[in-house]
Amino acid sequence: QVQLVESGGGSVQSGGSLRLSCAATGYTVSGNCMGWFRQAPGKEREGVAAIDRRGSTSYATSAKDRFTVSLDNSKNTLYLQISSLKLEDTAMYYCAAQRADRCVSLSRLASVYHYWGQGTQITVSS
């Protein structure tokens, strides 16, 4: 059974930084396709970052130069480092994983992801 558990969210002032973690069980983060999404109240879920089997990454325009996705094989954990946080970054953040037998490389479309975590909230204040 695949489980993805996010952590690391919180309340932070604009300009601050956070690192989100996504610990996986029943799924190997290395060599698979994973992504980070966020959803603000009243808005659609947005794919902000993706990492593929080779470790290549892609980012939404809103995330470029401020978000960094990475993984730690030894901990089987996916990370999202966010710097220079803005008010508009306030949202619930989710990690997601594609099925191991198929990968749409670097996709940020929610429809291609099969496994989802429960989310971690980031609230940015001025």
Side-chain angles (χ1 to χ4, degrees), residues 19-115:
R19 188 178 77 160
L20 306 183
S21 300
C22 172
T25 55
Y27 187 90
T28 302
V29 299
S30 175
N32 282 305
C33 293
M34 300 189 71
W36 284 97
F37 292 76
R38 67 183 180 186
Q39 188 165 21
K43 293 190 176 181
E44 292 191 356
R45 191 165 294 192
E46 175 191 18
V48 295
I51 187 166
D52 73 3
R53 289 172 166 159
R54 295 171 296 177
S56 297
T57 57
S58 73
Y59 299 94
T61 301
S62 59
K64 270 181 185 172
D65 300 326
R66 297 190 302 119
F67 289 30
T68 303
V69 60
S70 62
L71 56 86
D72 184 330
N73 296 338
S74 66
K75 296 182 179 179
N76 205 34
T77 297
L78 184 74
Y79 299 100
L80 184 68
Q81 178 73 43
I82 309 174
S83 60
S84 302
L85 277 156
K86 303 177 180 180
L87 296 176
E88 53 264 41
D89 293 323
T90 295
M92 185 73 79
Y93 284 74
Y94 301 89
C95 77
Q98 298 186 39
R99 284 179 51 170
D101 60 347
R102 63 187 69 176
C103 171
V104 181
S105 183
L106 300 178
S107 176
R108 295 194 304 276
L109 292 176
S111 58
V112 306
Y113 287 82
H114 190 72
Y115 306 106

